[in-house]
PDB file of all heavy atoms in Angstrom:
ATOM      1  N   ARG W  77     -13.961  23.258  -7.769  1.00 93.00           N
ATOM      2  CA  ARG W  77     -13.519  23.125  -6.379  1.00 93.00           C
ATOM      3  C   ARG W  77     -12.287  22.225  -6.326  1.00 93.00           C
ATOM      4  O   ARG W  77     -12.178  21.253  -7.080  1.00 93.00           O
ATOM      5  CB  ARG W  77     -14.602  22.504  -5.501  1.00 93.00           C
ATOM      6  CG  ARG W  77     -15.958  23.171  -5.571  1.00 93.00           C
ATOM      7  CD  ARG W  77     -16.061  24.454  -4.851  1.00 93.00           C
ATOM      8  NE  ARG W  77     -16.022  24.239  -3.413  1.00 93.00           N
ATOM      9  CZ  ARG W  77     -15.927  25.217  -2.539  1.00 93.00           C
ATOM     10  NH1 ARG W  77     -15.856  26.458  -2.944  1.00 93.00           N
ATOM     11  NH2 ARG W  77     -15.914  24.981  -1.257  1.00 93.00           N
ATOM     12  N   VAL W  78     -11.398  22.550  -5.391  1.00 93.00           N
ATOM     13  CA  VAL W  78     -10.188  21.756  -5.162  1.00 93.00           C
ATOM     14  C   VAL W  78     -10.061  21.492  -3.676  1.00 93.00           C
ATOM     15  O   VAL W  78     -10.310  22.377  -2.858  1.00 93.00           O
ATOM     16  CB  VAL W  78      -8.921  22.503  -5.649  1.00 93.00           C
ATOM     17  CG1 VAL W  78      -7.658  21.732  -5.280  1.00 93.00           C
ATOM     18  CG2 VAL W  78      -8.962  22.762  -7.135  1.00 93.00           C
ATOM     19  N   GLN W  79      -9.668  20.274  -3.348  1.00 94.00           N
ATOM     20  CA  GLN W  79      -9.304  19.943  -1.972  1.00 94.00           C
ATOM     21  C   GLN W  79      -7.894  19.378  -1.990  1.00 94.00           C
ATOM     22  O   GLN W  79      -7.592  18.491  -2.797  1.00 94.00           O
ATOM     23  CB  GLN W  79     -10.248  18.903  -1.370  1.00 94.00           C
ATOM     24  CG  GLN W  79     -11.631  19.405  -1.112  1.00 94.00           C
ATOM     25  CD  GLN W  79     -12.530  18.327  -0.528  1.00 94.00           C
ATOM     26  OE1 GLN W  79     -12.382  17.151  -0.816  1.00 94.00           O
ATOM     27  NE2 GLN W  79     -13.479  18.752   0.293  1.00 94.00           N
ATOM     28  N   ILE W  80      -7.039  19.909  -1.137  1.00 90.00           N
ATOM     29  CA  ILE W  80      -5.734  19.322  -0.882  1.00 90.00           C
ATOM     30  C   ILE W  80      -5.896  18.563   0.426  1.00 90.00           C
ATOM     31  O   ILE W  80      -6.274  19.148   1.448  1.00 90.00           O
ATOM     32  CB  ILE W  80      -4.630  20.390  -0.741  1.00 90.00           C
ATOM     33  CG1 ILE W  80      -4.578  21.298  -1.973  1.00 90.00           C
ATOM     34  CG2 ILE W  80      -3.282  19.732  -0.446  1.00 90.00           C
ATOM     35  CD1 ILE W  80      -4.198  20.618  -3.251  1.00 90.00           C
ATOM     36  N   VAL W  81      -5.658  17.257   0.394  1.00 92.00           N
ATOM     37  CA  VAL W  81      -5.926  16.409   1.550  1.00 92.00           C
ATOM     38  C   VAL W  81      -4.618  15.814   2.070  1.00 92.00           C
ATOM     39  O   VAL W  81      -3.876  15.178   1.319  1.00 92.00           O
ATOM     40  CB  VAL W  81      -6.914  15.277   1.191  1.00 92.00           C
ATOM     41  CG1 VAL W  81      -7.175  14.381   2.393  1.00 92.00           C
ATOM     42  CG2 VAL W  81      -8.215  15.851   0.650  1.00 92.00           C
ATOM     43  N   LEU W  82      -4.369  16.054   3.354  1.00 87.00           N
ATOM     44  CA  LEU W  82      -3.288  15.391   4.073  1.00 87.00           C
ATOM     45  C   LEU W  82      -3.954  14.311   4.906  1.00 87.00           C
ATOM     46  O   LEU W  82      -4.614  14.606   5.897  1.00 87.00           O
ATOM     47  CB  LEU W  82      -2.543  16.371   4.975  1.00 87.00           C
ATOM     48  CG  LEU W  82      -1.780  17.454   4.232  1.00 87.00           C
ATOM     49  CD1 LEU W  82      -2.289  18.817   4.644  1.00 87.00           C
ATOM     50  CD2 LEU W  82      -0.327  17.311   4.497  1.00 87.00           C
ATOM     51  N   SER W  83      -3.836  13.071   4.457  1.00 87.00           N
ATOM     52  CA  SER W  83      -4.438  11.953   5.160  1.00 87.00           C
ATOM     53  C   SER W  83      -3.493  11.564   6.293  1.00 87.00           C
ATOM     54  O   SER W  83      -2.330  11.241   6.054  1.00 87.00           O
ATOM     55  CB  SER W  83      -4.632  10.797   4.177  1.00 87.00           C
ATOM     56  OG  SER W  83      -5.243   9.722   4.799  1.00 87.00           O
ATOM     57  N   SER W  84      -3.987  11.613   7.527  1.00 83.00           N
ATOM     58  CA  SER W  84      -3.127  11.474   8.699  1.00 83.00           C
ATOM     59  C   SER W  84      -3.701  10.479   9.692  1.00 83.00           C
ATOM     60  O   SER W  84      -4.869  10.101   9.621  1.00 83.00           O
ATOM     61  CB  SER W  84      -2.993  12.831   9.401  1.00 83.00           C
ATOM     62  OG  SER W  84      -2.627  13.845   8.494  1.00 83.00           O
ATOM     63  N   ILE W  85      -2.859  10.095  10.642  1.00 82.00           N
ATOM     64  CA  ILE W  85      -3.271   9.215  11.733  1.00 82.00           C
ATOM     65  C   ILE W  85      -2.632   9.750  13.009  1.00 82.00           C
ATOM     66  O   ILE W  85      -1.473  10.141  13.009  1.00 82.00           O
ATOM     67  CB  ILE W  85      -2.868   7.766  11.410  1.00 82.00           C
ATOM     68  CG1 ILE W  85      -4.086   6.908  11.267  1.00 82.00           C
ATOM     69  CG2 ILE W  85      -1.884   7.210  12.304  1.00 82.00           C
ATOM     70  CD1 ILE W  85      -3.781   5.533  10.777  1.00 82.00           C
ATOM     71  N   LEU W  86      -3.421   9.831  14.091  1.00 82.00           N
ATOM     72  CA  LEU W  86      -2.953  10.410  15.351  1.00 82.00           C
ATOM     73  C   LEU W  86      -2.929   9.368  16.466  1.00 82.00           C
ATOM     74  O   LEU W  86      -3.584   8.329  16.380  1.00 82.00           O
ATOM     75  CB  LEU W  86      -3.877  11.554  15.780  1.00 82.00           C
ATOM     76  CG  LEU W  86      -4.091  12.705  14.810  1.00 82.00           C
ATOM     77  CD1 LEU W  86      -5.114  13.679  15.372  1.00 82.00           C
ATOM     78  CD2 LEU W  86      -2.791  13.407  14.510  1.00 82.00           C
ATOM     79  N   CYS W  87      -2.248   9.721  17.533  1.00 77.00           N
ATOM     80  CA  CYS W  87      -2.277   8.991  18.819  1.00 77.00           C
ATOM     81  C   CYS W  87      -2.037   7.497  18.677  1.00 77.00           C
ATOM     82  O   CYS W  87      -2.968   6.692  18.770  1.00 77.00           O
ATOM     83  CB  CYS W  87      -3.578   9.254  19.564  1.00 77.00           C
ATOM     84  SG  CYS W  87      -3.808  10.973  19.963  1.00 77.00           S
ATOM     85  N   PHE W  88      -0.785   7.142  18.445  1.00 72.00           N
ATOM     86  CA  PHE W  88      -0.370   5.746  18.370  1.00 72.00           C
ATOM     87  C   PHE W  88      -1.144   4.974  17.308  1.00 72.00           C
ATOM     88  O   PHE W  88      -1.558   3.849  17.513  1.00 72.00           O
ATOM     89  CB  PHE W  88      -0.478   5.070  19.743  1.00 72.00           C
ATOM     90  CG  PHE W  88       0.343   5.763  20.785  1.00 72.00           C
ATOM     91  CD1 PHE W  88      -0.239   6.671  21.657  1.00 72.00           C
ATOM     92  CD2 PHE W  88       1.700   5.527  20.868  1.00 72.00           C
ATOM     93  CE1 PHE W  88       0.523   7.331  22.615  1.00 72.00           C
ATOM     94  CE2 PHE W  88       2.471   6.186  21.811  1.00 72.00           C
ATOM     95  CZ  PHE W  88       1.891   7.087  22.689  1.00 72.00           C
ATOM     96  N   ARG W  89      -1.379   5.662  16.185  1.00 73.00           N
ATOM     97  CA  ARG W  89      -2.051   5.063  15.020  1.00 73.00           C
ATOM     98  C   ARG W  89      -3.452   4.573  15.319  1.00 73.00           C
ATOM     99  O   ARG W  89      -3.907   3.564  14.793  1.00 73.00           O
ATOM    100  CB  ARG W  89      -1.192   3.950  14.428  1.00 73.00           C
ATOM    101  CG  ARG W  89       0.148   4.452  13.980  1.00 73.00           C
ATOM    102  CD  ARG W  89       0.959   3.390  13.316  1.00 73.00           C
ATOM    103  NE  ARG W  89       2.216   4.002  12.903  1.00 73.00           N
ATOM    104  CZ  ARG W  89       3.373   3.406  12.968  1.00 73.00           C
ATOM    105  NH1 ARG W  89       3.443   2.169  13.398  1.00 73.00           N
ATOM    106  NH2 ARG W  89       4.462   4.029  12.591  1.00 73.00           N
ATOM    107  N   LYS W  90      -4.145   5.331  16.159  1.00 81.00           N
ATOM    108  CA  LYS W  90      -5.507   4.941  16.570  1.00 81.00           C
ATOM    109  C   LYS W  90      -6.591   5.808  15.932  1.00 81.00           C
ATOM    110  O   LYS W  90      -7.713   5.362  15.750  1.00 81.00           O
ATOM    111  CB  LYS W  90      -5.659   5.027  18.100  1.00 81.00           C
ATOM    112  CG  LYS W  90      -4.711   4.140  18.868  1.00 81.00           C
ATOM    113  CD  LYS W  90      -5.146   2.706  18.816  1.00 81.00           C
ATOM    114  CE  LYS W  90      -4.226   1.869  19.683  1.00 81.00           C
ATOM    115  NZ  LYS W  90      -4.243   0.493  19.372  1.00 81.00           N
ATOM    116  N   ILE W  91      -6.279   7.085  15.625  1.00 84.00           N
ATOM    117  CA  ILE W  91      -7.315   8.024  15.191  1.00 84.00           C
ATOM    118  C   ILE W  91      -6.984   8.565  13.794  1.00 84.00           C
ATOM    119  O   ILE W  91      -6.080   9.381  13.631  1.00 84.00           O
ATOM    120  CB  ILE W  91      -7.430   9.205  16.177  1.00 84.00           C
ATOM    121  CG1 ILE W  91      -7.657   8.693  17.599  1.00 84.00           C
ATOM    122  CG2 ILE W  91      -8.527  10.160  15.738  1.00 84.00           C
ATOM    123  CD1 ILE W  91      -7.547   9.760  18.665  1.00 84.00           C
ATOM    124  N   PRO W  92      -7.722   8.102  12.754  1.00 89.00           N
ATOM    125  CA  PRO W  92      -7.502   8.663  11.415  1.00 89.00           C
ATOM    126  C   PRO W  92      -8.095  10.074  11.334  1.00 89.00           C
ATOM    127  O   PRO W  92      -9.218  10.310  11.779  1.00 89.00           O
ATOM    128  CB  PRO W  92      -8.240   7.699  10.485  1.00 89.00           C
ATOM    129  CG  PRO W  92      -9.223   6.992  11.361  1.00 89.00           C
ATOM    130  CD  PRO W  92      -8.712   7.046  12.770  1.00 89.00           C
ATOM    131  N   VAL W  93      -7.327  10.994  10.785  1.00 89.00           N
ATOM    132  CA  VAL W  93      -7.762  12.386  10.662  1.00 89.00           C
ATOM    133  C   VAL W  93      -7.267  12.934   9.327  1.00 89.00           C
ATOM    134  O   VAL W  93      -6.076  12.843   9.031  1.00 89.00           O
ATOM    135  CB  VAL W  93      -7.201  13.262  11.805  1.00 89.00           C
ATOM    136  CG1 VAL W  93      -7.523  14.726  11.578  1.00 89.00           C
ATOM    137  CG2 VAL W  93      -7.721  12.804  13.143  1.00 89.00           C
ATOM    138  N   ASP W  94      -8.171  13.493   8.557  1.00 91.00           N
ATOM    139  CA  ASP W  94      -7.772  14.182   7.337  1.00 91.00           C
ATOM    140  C   ASP W  94      -7.726  15.677   7.605  1.00 91.00           C
ATOM    141  O   ASP W  94      -8.622  16.224   8.256  1.00 91.00           O
ATOM    142  CB  ASP W  94      -8.754  13.907   6.195  1.00 91.00           C
ATOM    143  CG  ASP W  94      -8.590  12.524   5.600  1.00 91.00           C
ATOM    144  OD1 ASP W  94      -7.564  11.862   5.880  1.00 91.00           O
ATOM    145  OD2 ASP W  94      -9.485  12.096   4.847  1.00 91.00           O
ATOM    146  N   ILE W  95      -6.686  16.305   7.099  1.00 89.00           N
ATOM    147  CA  ILE W  95      -6.591  17.763   7.106  1.00 89.00           C
ATOM    148  C   ILE W  95      -6.872  18.192   5.673  1.00 89.00           C
ATOM    149  O   ILE W  95      -6.170  17.759   4.749  1.00 89.00           O
ATOM    150  CB  ILE W  95      -5.205  18.233   7.571  1.00 89.00           C
ATOM    151  CG1 ILE W  95      -4.911  17.683   8.974  1.00 89.00           C
ATOM    152  CG2 ILE W  95      -5.123  19.759   7.538  1.00 89.00           C
ATOM    153  CD1 ILE W  95      -3.465  17.839   9.407  1.00 89.00           C
TER     154      ILE W  95
END
Side-chain angles (χ1 to χ4, degrees):
R77 308 285 290 171
V78 174
Q79 291 179 328
I80 304 296
V81 179
L82 294 121
S83 182
S84 309
I85 244 172
L86 303 176
C87 299
F88 302 98
R89 300 184 179 142
K90 300 284 184 200
I91 306 170
V93 173
D94 284 346
I95 302 168

